[in-house]
Amino acid sequence: MTPHPVPTASALLAEDQRLRDLVDSTDGIIWEADALTFTNTFISKSAERLLGYTVQEWMEPDFWKNHIYPPDREQAIAYATAQTARLQNHAFEYRFMAKDGRLVWLHDSTKVVIENGKPRWLRGFLLDITQHKLAEQQRIEGQAALREAALHTQTILDHMVDGVITIDAKGRMESFNKAASRMFGYAPEEVLGRNVNMLMPEPHHSQHDGYLQHYHMTGEARVMGAPREVEGRRRDGSLFPMSLSISKIARGGQPIFIGLVRDVTERRQYEDEIRRLAFYDPLTGLANRRLLMDRLKHAIVTSDRSGQHGALMFLDLDHFKLLNDSLGHDVGDLLLQQVAARLQSCVREVDSVARLGGDEFVVLLEGLSPFPHEAAAQSEVIALKILDALGQAYTLRQHNHSSTPSIGIVLFMHGHETMDDVLKKADVAMYQAKAAGRNTVRFFDPAMQATASAHAELAKDMRHGLVKDEFVLHYQIQVQINEHGATVPTGAEALVRWNHPTRGLVPPAEFIPLAEETHIILPLGQWVLEAACAQLVAWSQVPATAQWTMAVNVSASQFSQPDFVAHVANALRKTGANAHLLKLEITESMLMDDVEDIIDKMGAIKAHGVRMSLDDFGTGYSSLSCLKRLPLDQLKIDQSFVRDLLTDPNDAIIARTVVALGHSLGLKVIAEGVESAEQRDMLAGMGCDAFQGYYFGRPMPASELARFC
C-alpha cells in the first residue's frame, strides 16, 4: 500500500488561509465560544463588516452577552444555556446592538461540541435577518391594517341608515349590512351567495338575470348612476318603496356592483301628509282653497276649450256662530264634518267640493250645457239638492240640531274672467241669498257686484286714510249732577271720525262695520287709543280738565288679540297719559266668547291702573254669575232703554234695575243717549251716577270742549 504524502507546513498554511478566506467572505459570521462562559474563542472577520466590532473586541469576556439588545438578552441567554446543558444543537433569533447603534436581527444556528459527555465548545453561524424581519413585520402590520380596515368598513356599513349590498358579476350577494337586514328581514347568512333577485318583486324578479346578461354583452348600464325609486320585497313577501342607487367597481378584473338602498316608506308617508296638509282641509278632508283654485283654473281652461259652462257655488251655513257660541267649537266642528259628507253625496264624481275656512264651502261643477239657461237649470237642480240635504236634522253628540245654507251661484265660460272674479261673484251671490232670507239660492246679480266693489274701494281708502292721517277724534262730554243740582263735566268719550278728502266727514256707521270685517279695525283701534291718551295728556296741562276721564271703545277683534294688554301699556308709555283717567269700554256681546280669557285680560289691564266699563248693558246675554266675576268699574245703560224711558214702563224698569244692580256690585252707572232734561231727571231719580247724550253735547273736536270748562 502506498502511504499518503504528509502535507508540508506551507501547504497546511495555504489550506488554512483558503478556509479563512472562505469563512470571511460569507454573508454570515462563523464563530466559536466556550460552552460554559459563552466567551468567543473565534470569530470570522465578516463580524466586523456586518456589525462593526473588531475581532479583538469579540474576544472580550461576556462580549456576546453584553451586546444582545436588553429586552431580548435574558430570554436569549437562558435559552442558549438550557439547550447547551441538554447537549442540544439549537437555533434562535434575537436582536443585537451594532457598533453604529443599529439594531440587527440575527439568526443564530449553534452546534454543541461534546467532550467526555459534557458540552465543551459552541460553534455556530450568525446570519443577519433584519430585512427579512422588517418584511415580515410589514406583512403582519399590513395584514392587521387590512383586518382593521375591513372591520372599520364593516362597522361603518353596519351603522349606516342605508342598506349596502355588494353583488358579484353573476348577481350573487357578497355582503349584506345590518341596515339591509332590517330593511328586508333577512339575516346576512340567509342571503350571502344567493341571487339578488330574491329581494325583487315581479316582473323584475324574473327579468333580473336577463338585465345582467344584457349588461355583460353590451356594457349598457341601464340602472347605474342616479338613484331611482323601485319596490323591494321583504322576507315575509310584503313590498315597500325604496330608493336604489347602483355603482360598479372592479376587483380582480371582475365587476362588483354596489347597491345603496334606502327605505322611503316614511318619506312617502311624509310627502302624502304634506300634500294632504297643503291641499286638503284637515277637519273635513275636503279640498282647501289652494287646491280649489288649481281646479278652478283648470275648469276655466277646460270650459273655454269645450264650449261648456262651468258653475261655482259658494255656501255659507246660516247662524253657525250661534251654534259655536252656545254648544262650543268642538260641536261646531262635528256639524262641519257632517255638512262636508252630505255635500259630497250631492255632487258628481267630476265635481269638486272644498272648504275655504270657517263655515264657508265651495262646490265646483264642470261639463254643464253650452246654453246659459240650461247650465243655470242644471246647477240649480244640484243646489236645491244641497239645500234639501243640508236642511235635514243633524245629531251632534246628544244634541239635535237644524241648519240651513245660503248658496250663491255664478256660471262661467270662454275664459273671460279670472279665478278671483269667479269666486268673488259667487260670494256676492251668496250674500244676496242671505239678504233674501237665508236657506235659499241666488245667482250672481251685477248690482250686488257694484256694492261689493264699492266696499272694496272703501276698504282701500280706509287703509290709505290711516297712512295719511285722515282719521280724527271727536269727543262727547260726560257729566254728573252735583249736590246743588248743577251739571259738572267729568270727562268725555272718544269717537272716531273719518275726514275723507272727497267724501267729507264720513260717519262711523258707514265705515266701522267694514273696518271690522276687513280687520282694519286693529290698526285703527290702536290709533284711537293712542290719540285719546295724547288728548288726556293735553287736558292734564289745564287745571279745569286735569281730572277729566277718557272713555275709549274697544272692538271685540281688538280685545281678542293676544297682545292687546301690551298694546294698552304701550299707548300709556308712549304718551305718558295717567292710566287712572283712562276708561276702556267693552260690549256685553263680547262676553259670549272665552269669558276666562276676558277676565284675565281685564285684570291685567286694571293692574296698569286703567278702569273698565261695560257698554250697551242690557242688550246682550251675560249672566249675573258672569257679571259679578268681571273686574268692572262702571256699567253703561244702553241708549235703546233711555230713548223711550218716559213712555215705555218696561224701559223704565230695566233702567232702574241696571242702576240697582250696578250699585249692588259696587259699580258706577252711566246712561247714554240722554236727549232731554226729563230723561236726565228720571235717571237721576233712579240714582244714576253719570250721563251722556245730545242734551249735554254732541260729539265735537277737542278744541270746542272749552265751553264746558
Side-chain angles (χ1 to χ4, degrees):
M1 178 179 296
T2 303
H4 290 288
V6 178
T8 63
S10 61
L12 290 173
L13 287 174
E15 180 64 15
D16 179 68
Q17 186 61 46
R18 185 176 70 83
L19 289 174
R20 286 180 180 274
D21 289 343
L22 287 172
V23 168
D24 292 338
S25 63
T26 63
D27 288 336
I29 302 170
I30 297 175
W31 59 272
E32 181 186 70
D34 186 280
L36 296 178
T37 64
F38 297 113
T39 299
N40 289 101
T41 56
F42 173 82
I43 194 83
S44 64
K45 289 184 179 180
S46 58
E48 184 173 358
R49 173 168 50 82
L50 295 175
L51 297 174
Y53 299 105
T54 63
V55 171
Q56 290 77 15
E57 289 174 310
W58 277 93
M59 302 301 170
E60 294 174 3
D62 295 331
F63 178 86
W64 175 75
K65 294 180 183 180
N66 292 338
H67 287 79
I68 297 173
Y69 186 48
D72 300 349
R73 185 177 298 161
E74 182 177 352
Q75 184 178 0
I77 294 173
Y79 177 77
T81 303
Q83 293 298 97
T84 301
R86 295 188 186 99
L87 308 179
Q88 293 286 327
N89 296 336
H90 51 277
F92 58 116
E93 296 173 354
Y94 52 87
R95 287 169 290 183
F96 198 85
M97 296 182 290
K99 194 167 188 177
D100 60 6
R102 290 179 296 116
L103 284 179
V104 180
W105 274 98
L106 297 177
H107 179 84
D108 195 339
S109 295
T110 302
K111 176 179 177 59
V112 181
V113 178
I114 305 169
E115 290 183 2
N116 301 321
K118 294 182 180 180
R120 179 69 186 93
W121 305 104
L122 299 176
R123 293 173 183 153
F125 183 73
L126 293 174
L127 183 63
D128 183 349
I129 59 170
T130 303
Q131 294 302 318
H132 170 74
K133 277 290 186 180
L134 289 176
E136 182 182 12
Q137 182 63 29
Q138 288 174 353
R139 181 182 60 80
I140 293 171
E141 290 176 354
Q143 290 176 340
L146 287 174
R147 286 194 300 271
E148 184 178 352
L151 180 61
H152 180 67
T153 300
Q154 190 60 45
T155 301
I156 291 174
L157 292 177
D158 286 341
H159 283 81
M160 286 181 68
V161 175
D162 294 337
V164 180
I165 306 170
T166 57
I167 307 153
D168 69 12
K170 295 182 179 180
R172 295 172 301 199
M173 288 178 277
E174 292 189 341
S175 70
F176 199 76
N177 74 341
K178 288 183 178 179
S181 292
R182 288 192 299 271
M183 214 174 293
F184 289 94
Y186 290 101
E189 57 270 19
E190 294 180 287
V191 300
L192 295 182
R194 298 181 63 184
N195 197 304
V196 72
N197 67 3
M198 67 184 291
L199 306 178
M200 302 175 185
E202 292 295 351
H204 302 294
H205 175 82
S206 303
Q207 297 173 353
H208 176 259
D209 289 345
Y211 297 155
L212 205 57
Q213 186 177 6
H214 176 81
Y215 169 75
H216 290 315
M217 292 176 61
T218 66
E220 181 185 358
R222 296 176 179 175
V223 295
M224 298 288 183
R228 62 193 187 114
E229 291 197 2
V230 296
E231 281 189 315
R233 185 173 66 183
R234 295 191 178 94
R235 193 175 191 273
D236 61 8
S238 62
L239 305 182
F240 67 99
M242 66 182 193
S243 172
L244 173 65
S245 177
I246 298 178
S247 57
K248 185 190 76 169
I249 60 173
R251 188 179 65 197
Q254 293 295 315
I256 298 295
F257 302 99
I258 302 173
L260 194 64
V261 181
R262 174 173 296 179
D263 186 340
V264 296
T265 303
E266 191 171 315
R267 195 198 75 198
R268 287 271 186 91
Q269 291 171 345
Y270 285 147
E271 288 174 350
D272 290 343
E273 179 65 9
I274 290 170
R275 173 176 170 77
R276 189 182 68 79
L277 293 174
F279 295 107
Y280 292 90
D281 173 52
L283 177 64
T284 63
L286 297 178
N288 63 10
R289 178 183 288 271
R290 182 182 288 109
L291 182 55
L292 170 70
M293 298 304 281
D294 182 67
R295 289 179 178 175
L296 178 57
K297 178 182 179 181
H298 181 268
I300 292 173
V301 172
T302 302
S303 174
D304 186 41
R305 289 175 180 170
S306 67
Q308 292 179 293
H309 279 89
L312 192 74
M313 296 184 186
F314 200 110
L315 293 82
D316 183 89
L317 301 184
D318 301 328
H319 307 298
F320 178 72
K321 186 177 185 301
L322 185 60
L323 171 69
N324 262 351
D325 291 342
S326 58
L327 297 181
H329 290 276
D330 52 342
V331 176
D333 287 347
L334 287 177
L335 175 63
L336 294 174
Q337 289 170 337
Q338 293 186 28
V339 166
R342 294 186 189 186
L343 281 173
Q344 288 178 301
S345 70
C346 293
V347 300
R348 305 163 299 171
E349 284 191 14
V350 296
D351 302 325
S352 299
V353 181
R355 177 178 175 233
L356 297 189
D359 60 333
E360 295 180 339
F361 295 86
V362 170
V363 175
L364 175 62
L365 307 178
E366 297 188 62
L368 302 179
S369 171
F371 304 105
H373 63 283
E374 290 183 1
Q378 290 170 331
S379 57
E380 187 176 25
V381 167
I382 297 175
L384 293 176
K385 185 179 178 182
I386 291 173
L387 277 180
D388 180 65
L390 270 55
Q392 302 298 317
Y394 296 85
T395 300
L396 307 175
R397 293 183 181 164
Q398 288 76 40
H399 304 282
N400 291 324
H401 179 73
S402 296
S403 178
T404 58
S406 295
I407 305 177
I409 307 176
V410 62
L411 299 177
F412 58 86
M413 194 175 73
H414 301 312
H416 296 320
E417 296 172 307
T418 66
M419 296 182 294
D420 287 337
D421 289 338
V422 172
L423 200 57
K424 287 176 183 176
K425 288 181 178 180
D427 186 38
V428 168
M430 183 272 294
Y431 277 106
Q432 189 177 9
K434 282 190 176 295
R438 304 176 191 272
N439 192 26
T440 189
V441 178
R442 286 291 183 271
F443 284 83
F444 171 71
D445 179 0
M448 290 290 293
Q449 178 61 35
T451 302
S453 298
H455 279 182
E457 189 65 27
L458 191 63
K460 179 181 176 182
D461 284 354
M462 266 196 290
R463 291 189 178 91
H464 182 79
L466 268 174
V467 175
K468 296 296 184 179
D469 293 327
E470 293 174 3
F471 290 93
V472 295
L473 287 186
H474 283 191
Y475 304 89
Q476 187 170 32
I477 200 73
Q478 294 180 339
V479 301
Q480 288 180 347
I481 308 298
N482 65 14
E483 65 273 16
H484 304 297
T487 299
V488 180
T490 59
E493 179 179 0
L495 300 166
V496 66
R497 299 290 186 266
W498 183 9
N499 192 11
H500 193 279
T502 59
R503 300 169 187 257
L505 203 61
V506 182
E510 291 188 21
F511 68 86
I512 290 296
L514 186 59
E516 289 273 10
E517 183 182 331
T518 57
H519 302 293
I520 298 174
I521 196 69
L522 298 177
L524 178 60
Q526 186 64 21
W527 176 85
V528 169
L529 182 59
E530 292 181 6
C533 286
Q535 185 58 50
L536 264 181
V537 174
W539 285 344
S540 69
Q541 309 301 314
V542 181
T545 57
Q547 295 305 311
W548 278 14
T549 60
M550 178 71 76
V552 178
N553 289 291
V554 177
S555 71
S557 54
Q558 264 185 286
F559 200 85
S560 66
Q561 296 301 304
D563 54 358
F564 176 69
V565 177
H567 282 312
V568 174
N570 185 57
L572 292 168
R573 182 171 56 253
K574 184 176 178 180
T575 60
N578 184 346
H580 298 284
L581 299 178
L582 178 62
K583 182 168 54 180
L584 299 185
E585 294 187 354
I586 63 172
T587 60
E588 192 177 4
S589 61
M590 290 167 58
L591 304 181
M592 295 291 291
D593 295 321
D594 188 347
V595 176
E596 297 302 325
D597 181 62
I598 290 172
I599 292 172
D600 289 344
K601 282 184 180 176
M602 290 176 67
I605 291 169
K606 285 183 66 67
H608 286 283
V610 178
R611 288 187 274 182
M612 299 297 300
S613 175
L614 187 60
D615 197 6
D616 302 336
F617 184 71
T619 61
Y621 303 94
S622 60
S623 64
L624 293 180
S625 61
C626 171
L627 185 63
K628 71 179 183 180
R629 295 177 60 206
L630 298 176
L632 290 166
D633 298 282
Q634 185 186 72
L635 291 182
K636 178 178 275 192
I637 303 173
D638 187 67
Q639 59 182 338
S640 63
F641 302 123
V642 175
R643 185 181 304 111
D644 298 324
L645 186 67
L646 302 176
T647 58
D648 188 338
N650 289 331
D651 286 348
I653 291 171
I654 291 173
R656 190 181 304 278
T657 302
V658 172
V659 173
L661 176 63
H663 289 167
S664 70
L665 294 173
L667 307 177
K668 296 291 185 181
V669 180
I670 183 172
E672 67 175 356
V674 179
E675 298 183 353
S676 68
E678 291 78 13
Q679 289 174 337
R680 176 202 62 187
D681 293 342
M682 189 170 185
L683 288 165
M686 295 176 183
C688 188
D689 303 295
F691 312 91
Q692 177 182 343
Y694 284 179
Y695 176 72
F696 304 100
R698 291 177 176 271
M700 60 189 69
S703 59
E704 297 181 20
L705 289 176
R707 64 186 178 87
F708 292 101
C709 299

